[in-house]
């Protein structure tokens, strides 16, 4: 269905705020603005006239204008001072920078014999808008006078003719943003400063809504959640259309804001498009649209060699807390602690990427998607081997989903030792290349230590973690029931 409501649109460049009507469908967010339309009578081109105005040394362009976007009415010349032709009213569809224009200005105007009804609306009348909170007069005078005469009473109209056009204020579509691969942001651009009850929506082509403002935190969250849900649903539909083979299945993709590492002021946070696809975790500057775009990732990691970590997940199971947050009775921790909706991807020793999302639901989706993507990939590859050394000997260390850990000689492939996943009781490493793995001997029940040295130790430790997590998940009926896996992934 369609969700609709009234919001405020704030334009940072012009510093203007005005009412808009939002219409949200499954695929598009439409922003409507109030405009004046001709509802009856003839509006012939005869009424359009091109006028050349020459700026006078004293008195400017010699006209007085009323209205403007900030008052939700069009710009109207209500008075022309020269020769006192004040009884004519012109409607100007567009007037650009009259105040700062050159000495000669050419404008196209539409002559109206009768004063339009919107100019006669009482003070503060909002037309179709339901928001009466900000009283503004449509008879606002822009102050573009010839001689400073402040007497701006509208001329009394002649008796209306049946043929004269009638005008009404209506909501008209101003901006339509397609939601496929769009993103939302509650933060001021390039910063971690949260806006209050506001957010922006950015389409794939970079088009933006400007800043949408809402009266309450609950209303803002409600709209943000609705738009985010539609974006995620469209992305998922798009993903399902692109499944070529199970080995390149896209589990999830979407926008997140990458925070700079450390407290470096030189780097600002930037939006990145993340994708969990087959064996890889991709980081893009822009979403991949074509098959060739998948090769344009900024960075790509082997999925089972990275570690996903959530920062301080605050969304407790406490439904009462959630209700209080939603109703605005309690400030959400995310407004005090910018790390609360973040996750990190640990990729190497001391190296990581930190990403911020907009909603707790986004965080939950990324966490579940990572678990699912790692599980699928481990099930697909079944085993992974790394070259290592121990006491000067070159060895091959294998992690196998079915049998556990095996260590064999590098050349002869003779198996030196083997343990199940359940026998691993602990590990310690020097943070560089060496690791000590502690295994419990199945017969003697003694702890046996195996010391190995790897060139890429962090990748190996993350791989061990991925395999064990996948093994545990495969024995968890809740996890398995919540997933829908292709048949060949199920036989272990």
């Amino acid at each position: 269905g369609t969700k609709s409501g009234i919001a405020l649109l704030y334009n940072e460049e012009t510093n203007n705020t005005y009412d808009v009507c939002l219409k949200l469908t499954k695929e598009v967010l439409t922003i409507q603005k109030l405009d004046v339309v001709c509802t009856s009578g003839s509006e012939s081109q005869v009424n359009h006239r091109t006028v050349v105005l020459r700026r006078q040394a004293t008195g400017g362009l010699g006209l007085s204008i009323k209205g403007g976007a900030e008052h939700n009415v069009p710009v109207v010349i209500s008075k022309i001072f020269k020769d006192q032709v004040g009884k004519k009213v012109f409607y100007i569809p567009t007037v650009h920078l009259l105040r700062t224009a050159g000495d000669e200005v050419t404008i196209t105007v539409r002559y109206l014999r009768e004063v339009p009804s919107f100019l006669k609306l009482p003070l503060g009348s909002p037309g179709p808008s339901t928001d009466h909170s900000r009283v503004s007069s449509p008879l606002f005078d822009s102050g573009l006078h010839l001689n400073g005469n402040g007497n701006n009473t509208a001329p009394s109209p002649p008796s209306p003719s049946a043929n004269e056009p009638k005008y009404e204020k209506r909501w008209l579509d101003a901006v339509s943003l397609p939601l496929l691969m769009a993103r939302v942001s509650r933060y001021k651009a390039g910063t971690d400063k949260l806006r209050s009850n506001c957010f922006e929506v950015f389409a794939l082509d970079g088009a933006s809504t400007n800043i949408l403002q809402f009266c309450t935190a609950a209303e803002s969250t409600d709209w943000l959640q609705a738009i985010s849900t539609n974006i995620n649903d469209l992305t998922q539909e798009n993903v399902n259309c692109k499944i070529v083979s199970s080995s390149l299945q896209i589990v999830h993709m979407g926008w997140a804001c990458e925070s700079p590492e450390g407290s470096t002021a030189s780097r600002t946070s930037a939006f990145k498009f993340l994708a969990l696809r087959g064996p890889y975790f991709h980081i893009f500057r822009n979403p991949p649209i074509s098959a060739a775009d998948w090769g344009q990732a900024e960075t790509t990691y082997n999925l089972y060699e990275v570690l996903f970590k959530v920062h301080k997940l605050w969304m407790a199971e406490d439904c009462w807390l959630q209700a209080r947050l939603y109703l605005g009775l309690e400030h959400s921790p995310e407004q005090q602690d910018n790390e609360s909706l973040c996750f990190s991807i640990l990729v190497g020793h001391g190296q990581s990427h930190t990403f911020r999302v907009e909603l707790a639901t986004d965080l939950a989706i990324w966490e579940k998607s990572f678990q699912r993507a790692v599980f699928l990939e481990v099930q697909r590859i079944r085993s992974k081997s790394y070259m290592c050394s121990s006491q000067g000997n070159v060895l091959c260390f294998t992690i196998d989903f079915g049998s556990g850990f095996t260590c064999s000689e590098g050349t002869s492939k003779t198996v030196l030792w083997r343990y199940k996943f359940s026998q691993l009781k602990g590990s310690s490493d020097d943070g560089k290349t060496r690791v000590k793995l502690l295994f419990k001997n199945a017969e003697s029940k003694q702890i046996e230590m195996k010391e190995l040295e790897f060139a890429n130790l962090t990748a190996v430790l993350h791989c061990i973690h991925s395999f064990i997590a996948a093994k545990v998940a495969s024995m968890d009926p809740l996890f398995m029931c919540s997933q829908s896996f292709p048949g060949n992934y199920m036989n272990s």
Side-chain angles (χ1 to χ4, degrees):
T2 303
K3 178 181 173 66
S4 59
I6 301 292
L8 283 175
L9 193 68
Y10 173 63
N11 187 321
E12 276 183 308
E13 288 176 19
T14 62
N15 208 23
N16 280 342
T17 306
Y18 44 90
D19 288 326
V20 289
C21 180
L22 302 181
K23 288 196 179 302
L24 176 67
T25 64
K26 181 183 163 186
E27 294 174 347
V28 178
L29 173 67
T30 303
I31 297 175
Q32 297 181 318
K33 295 179 184 175
L34 273 179
D35 205 348
V36 176
V37 293
C38 179
T39 57
S40 65
S42 62
E43 191 182 11
S44 71
Q45 289 297 317
V46 180
N47 287 338
H48 287 84
R49 302 173 186 182
T50 299
V51 183
V52 178
L53 301 173
R54 290 178 185 84
R55 198 179 295 279
Q56 306 299 316
T58 55
L61 295 170
L63 48 85
S64 174
I65 71 170
K66 295 178 178 179
E70 65 272 35
H71 301 282
N72 292 322
V73 294
V75 179
V76 172
I77 300 175
S78 59
K79 198 170 237 183
I80 299 177
F81 291 100
K82 192 176 180 183
D83 300 328
Q84 293 301 311
V85 196
K87 297 216 168 158
K88 294 185 193 291
V89 178
F90 293 94
Y91 165 40
I92 314 172
T94 312
V95 180
H96 283 299
L97 306 171
L98 272 184
R99 208 185 286 272
T100 54
D103 290 339
E104 191 170 286
V105 182
T106 304
I107 55 174
T108 299
V109 295
R110 190 162 77 237
Y111 168 59
L112 308 174
R113 190 171 289 118
E114 183 190 349
V115 178
S117 58
F118 60 82
L119 273 186
K120 295 182 283 188
L121 289 170
L123 187 69
S125 171
S129 169
T130 56
D131 185 358
H132 293 248
S133 58
R134 287 176 321 289
V135 175
S136 64
S137 170
L139 290 173
F140 165 78
D141 198 315
S142 299
L144 286 174
H145 306 313
L146 171 73
N147 53 15
N149 181 356
N151 180 13
N152 279 316
T153 52
S156 55
S159 57
S161 150
N163 238 3
E164 284 294 321
K166 300 282 185 294
Y167 294 88
E168 280 181 20
K169 284 159 80 172
R170 296 261 177 98
W171 290 114
L172 298 180
D173 291 0
V175 180
S176 285
L177 286 181
L179 296 178
L180 179 63
M181 301 206 189
R183 64 179 174 86
V184 291
S185 177
R186 296 178 300 138
Y187 294 82
K188 289 183 180 172
T191 73
D192 58 0
K193 291 191 174 73
L194 199 62
R195 297 183 193 277
S196 178
N197 303 350
C198 300
F199 61 84
E200 283 183 87
V201 185
F202 298 87
L204 180 58
D205 63 3
S208 152
T209 55
N210 284 329
I211 297 150
L212 295 170
Q213 295 182 336
F214 298 87
C215 294
T216 64
E219 198 179 1
S220 177
T221 304
D222 182 44
W223 272 96
L224 185 67
Q225 187 81 59
I227 292 168
S228 294
T229 299
N230 287 16
I231 291 172
N232 281 335
D233 289 351
L234 281 174
T235 304
Q236 200 52 49
E237 280 180 26
N238 195 47
V239 159
N240 294 340
C241 296
K242 289 185 175 175
I243 295 176
V244 187
S245 67
S246 57
S247 62
L248 285 177
Q249 183 180 354
I250 302 167
V251 173
H252 186 58
M253 56 185 187
W255 289 98
C257 188
E258 184 169 14
S259 306
E261 283 187 58
S263 54
T264 46
S266 58
R267 275 190 63 202
T268 56
S269 51
F271 277 91
K272 299 293 170 70
F273 193 82
L274 314 179
L276 293 167
R277 180 182 187 244
Y280 305 115
F281 171 64
H282 300 281
I283 303 174
F284 293 92
R285 281 180 191 269
N286 297 299
I289 305 300
S290 68
D293 290 345
W294 285 97
Q296 304 301 310
E298 208 174 64
T299 322
T300 298
Y301 296 104
N302 283 331
L303 197 52
Y304 50 82
E305 291 181 343
V306 299
L307 195 64
F308 179 91
K309 180 185 169 191
V310 171
H311 294 217
K312 306 175 189 170
L313 183 56
W314 62 266
M315 279 302 274
E317 293 301 312
D318 181 359
C319 57
W320 300 106
L321 171 65
Q322 291 188 37
R324 288 201 302 277
L325 291 171
Y326 186 77
L327 295 169
L329 301 175
E330 188 163 319
H331 288 293
S332 99
E334 73 198 60
Q335 291 183 335
Q336 302 144 13
D337 175 9
N338 289 319
E339 284 195 354
S340 62
L341 292 178
C342 290
F343 63 86
S344 287
I345 307 297
L346 309 181
V347 296
H349 177 58
Q351 293 176 297
S352 65
H353 294 269
T354 300
F355 299 100
R356 184 187 69 216
V357 291
E358 297 295 324
L359 293 161
T361 46
D362 296 335
L363 200 57
I365 288 169
W366 276 112
E367 187 174 27
K368 283 191 167 65
S369 299
F370 248 92
Q371 290 170 353
R372 174 177 164 81
V374 168
F375 181 84
L376 288 173
E377 186 51 22
V378 168
Q379 291 276 28
R380 189 185 70 83
I381 62 171
R382 307 300 291 177
S383 76
K384 175 70 183 169
S385 295
Y386 294 94
M387 299 311 291
C388 62
S389 64
S390 179
Q391 297 169 340
N393 300 317
V394 176
L395 306 175
C396 179
F397 177 72
T398 301
I399 310 160
D400 185 274
F401 187 77
S403 58
F405 305 103
T406 306
C407 192
S408 53
E409 284 186 350
T411 45
S412 67
K413 306 294 182 194
T414 307
V415 174
L416 302 176
W417 48 262
R418 194 193 302 271
Y419 295 98
K420 291 180 180 177
F421 288 124
S422 58
Q423 289 177 270
L424 180 65
K425 296 304 173 186
S427 71
S428 62
D429 62 85
D430 64 358
K432 294 170 190 168
T433 58
R434 293 172 186 270
V435 64
K436 293 176 181 174
L437 299 172
L438 305 175
F439 296 103
K440 187 175 185 179
N441 186 299
E443 292 163 4
S444 69
K445 309 297 181 189
Q446 298 294 309
I447 296 294
E448 298 172 352
M449 186 190 76
K450 303 295 180 185
E451 190 169 343
L452 303 171
E453 192 166 346
F454 294 91
N456 49 348
L457 177 61
T458 308
V460 176
L461 295 177
H462 288 169
C463 186
I464 292 172
H465 176 273
S466 295
F467 270 73
I468 291 177
K471 191 72 176 177
V472 170
S474 70
M475 298 170 181
D476 178 1
L478 278 176
F479 176 82
M480 296 306 288
C481 290
S482 70
Q483 310 294 315
S484 52
F485 299 120
N488 61 323
Y489 287 161
M490 292 301 291
N491 25 331
S492 54

